[in-house]
Amino acid sequence: MGAGGGRGGRGGPDGTETAGLAEVIGRIREELEEAQHDGQESRIQFRVERVNVEFTVQVRREGTGKGSLNIGVVTAEAGGTAARENMHRIEIELMPHDRNEPPQEQGFSIGGEE
């Protein structure tokens, strides 16, 4: 997961590498689609009802004063260790559905309109 703009990842001053949350969720989506495609001809099928993901994130303000606030999912520690007080844990429950079959539960779709 490479470095990028405001939503992408980047290295922190303490050597911690991060990736944007949107980038990580997009990668999870790609992996699920690949697993679905690879298993189409398999005799054994799996139904994915929920995907629980727990992230360690680093929150930091860039610039001075009212600089931008960035949240990055920690992906690696290269050449340094992040201060524990800068790390936070978040958990997200994703409920996959086909774009042509909107979910019956409340919520919103990431990646499309309902």
Side-chain angles (χ1 to χ4, degrees), residues 6-92:
R7 292 170 51 138
R10 59 186 61 150
D14 55 6
T16 304
E17 294 293 322
T18 63
L21 187 58
E23 180 181 4
V24 174
I25 290 174
R27 188 68 186 130
I28 291 169
R29 180 185 297 112
E30 291 170 6
E31 290 288 334
L32 288 171
E33 287 176 344
E34 184 177 341
Q36 182 182 34
H37 180 266
D38 291 351
Q40 283 180 340
E41 300 300 319
S42 179
R43 182 172 171 219
I44 299 173
Q45 301 284 308
F46 298 101
R47 178 174 170 80
V48 177
E49 292 184 12
R50 287 174 166 59
V51 178
N52 293 307
V53 186
E54 186 173 304
F55 300 105
T56 299
V57 297
Q58 184 176 50
V59 180
R60 73 174 173 267
R61 184 171 302 279
E62 293 184 352
T64 57
K66 294 187 177 184
S68 64
L69 185 65
N70 290 301
I71 298 174
V73 176
V74 176
T75 59
E77 293 186 32
T81 54
R84 291 181 85 60
E85 62 269 11
N86 292 336
M87 296 298 180
H88 307 277
R89 297 183 81 82
I90 61 171
E91 185 175 327
I92 297 176

Side-chain angles (χ1 to χ4, degrees), residues 15-16 76 96 106 110-111:
T16 304
Q106 292 182 346
I110 297 175

Side-chain angles (χ1 to χ4, degrees), residues 90-111:
I90 61 171
E91 185 175 327
I92 297 176
E93 182 176 80
L94 303 171
M95 296 179 61
H97 65 87
D98 187 285
R99 71 174 154 236
N100 296 323
E101 297 176 25
Q104 301 303 312
E105 296 84 12
Q106 292 182 346
F108 64 94
S109 292
I110 297 175

